[in-house]
Structures are given as structure tokens and as C-alpha cells.
Amino acid sequence: MRRVLILFLSLFGTFAFLAITGFYPVAIVDGSPIFFKTWAKAEQAAIRFAQASARSSGAPALDFSRQENAELLLSVKRDTLTFLIEDKIILSAGERVIDDFAARAKQEVNGALKKSPGVIAGGKAVYDLDNDDFLALVFMPQARKDVLAEIFRARGQSYEEWLALAKKSASVKLYFVPFTWSGEKIE
């Protein structure tokens, strides 16, 4: 009885720690996890971007905590999870398409940072992300897309068609979220 209690308390403590820190997977994409903590950062960055866009156009900032914006917040949650899943698919499939995919994406980022060194400060201002998170959640995903699009364009193939097929063939499992993966996006 005592062993069962100790096991139960240990498991409970572990799960409580994971829940509090956000280090539990909300999705597994081709064997690679997307953690709640990452999704929450992406969601907050998307909200901050939407608010900054509204302010720059002269509209009042959106209050996502208000009930009338609940559907908009749900849409942000779906879209950010779709974005993270697509990025995982692009990363794993891109490595199969191009041998030095990760290095080329990193080179793309470094080149962009040299051309526009103030982009990191702009990312901080718009997304309120630290440098590492800005690079990981905004810059690297775009660089991966750009590298693959360039490769497919050079081959005379459609990047969009390839991505649609890659998303349909990817293994995507969702955990602890009220959504489903349609093979194209989160619904």
C-alpha cells in the first residue's frame, strides 16, 4: 500500500510540475513534440502582433480577454498551432528534400540579419519576444519556407503542392487540446 501511495504521489508531482512549467506536448508531429510552453509563446506573439497592427492602423487595440473576442482568441489558438505544426512538417520534410537544409535556413537567417540588423529590436517591439524566441518562432520558420520555396522554384516544382502533400502525409497527434488536425490545418 505504501509503495502505491509513493508511486501515486511521485506521478502526481511529476504531472503537476509539467503542467505548471508547460513542458508537456500538445502535439507530436512526425515524432517531434510541440510543447504547450512553445504554443503559448507563439499565441502571445500573435496576439501582440494583432494588437500592434490594430494600433498602427488607428484602430483600438483588441482585448482578447473580453467575451465578444472569444472566437477571435480561439482562431488565434488554432492558427498558431497550425503554424507550429506546419513548421515541424517543413523542418522534417525539408531535411529529406535537401541534405543541408538546416544549415541553409540558418544561412538565410544570418544573411537577413546582416542586411537588417534592427530586425531583432523590431521583433522585440512588435512581438515582445526575446532574441532566441523571436528567431525560433518568427525568423527560422520563415527562412525554412523561403529555402524550400527557392529549391522547388529552381526545380520547376510547386512548393505549395509539395507542402499540401507533406501536411496530408505527416503523422500529427494532438494532446490536451480541443482541436483536431484535418491534414491541412487545425480545426
Side-chain angles (χ1 to χ4, degrees):
M1 178 68 179
R2 189 175 184 153
R3 285 184 181 178
V4 172
L5 181 61
I6 291 172
L7 179 63
F8 173 77
L9 290 175
S10 296
L11 287 174
F12 180 78
T14 300
F15 287 122
F17 173 77
L18 293 175
I20 290 168
T21 61
F23 283 113
Y24 60 90
V26 292
I28 305 283
V29 181
D30 291 333
S32 181
I34 296 172
F35 292 103
F36 175 81
K37 187 174 186 167
T38 303
W39 182 33
K41 282 180 187 179
E43 180 186 325
Q44 287 304 307
I47 287 170
R48 287 186 203 104
F49 179 79
Q51 291 170 334
S53 295
R55 281 191 306 272
S56 72
S57 67
L62 294 167
D63 183 359
F64 285 89
S65 65
R66 297 181 59 123
Q67 185 60 35
E68 61 263 19
N69 292 328
E71 187 58 39
L72 185 57
L73 179 60
L74 195 60
S75 176
V76 168
K77 289 177 180 291
R78 282 191 303 262
D79 292 348
T80 53
L81 190 52
T82 296
F83 171 81
L84 292 171
I85 289 170
E86 283 180 359
D87 186 50
K88 288 285 186 182
I89 291 168
I90 288 168
L91 180 59
S92 67
E95 290 172 346
R96 290 191 298 269
V97 172
I98 308 166
D99 289 334
D100 60 345
F101 179 63
R104 288 185 66 176
K106 182 87 169 146
Q107 184 179 12
E108 180 88 8
V109 167
N110 290 338
L113 290 175
K114 284 180 185 174
K115 288 179 187 174
S116 303
V119 76
I120 295 288
K124 176 73 173 155
V126 173
Y127 296 99
D128 194 29
L129 293 171
D130 65 32
N131 294 355
D132 291 338
D133 287 337
F134 178 70
L135 290 173
L137 292 173
V138 178
F139 238 57
M140 282 305 293
Q142 187 60 49
R144 287 190 273 269
K145 286 180 184 179
D146 291 348
V147 167
L148 279 177
E150 181 182 314
I151 294 296
F152 281 101
R153 196 171 28 257
R155 293 178 180 176
Q157 298 172 321
S158 170
Y159 166 75
E160 289 78 18
E161 289 176 11
W162 171 84
L163 181 58
L165 288 172
K167 289 191 319 187
K168 286 181 182 173
S169 66
S171 169
V172 177
K173 294 178 175 75
L174 301 177
Y175 303 99
F176 313 112
V177 295
F179 307 119
T180 59
W181 174 251
S182 71
E184 293 178 32
K185 62 182 181 175
I186 290 291
E187 295 179 338

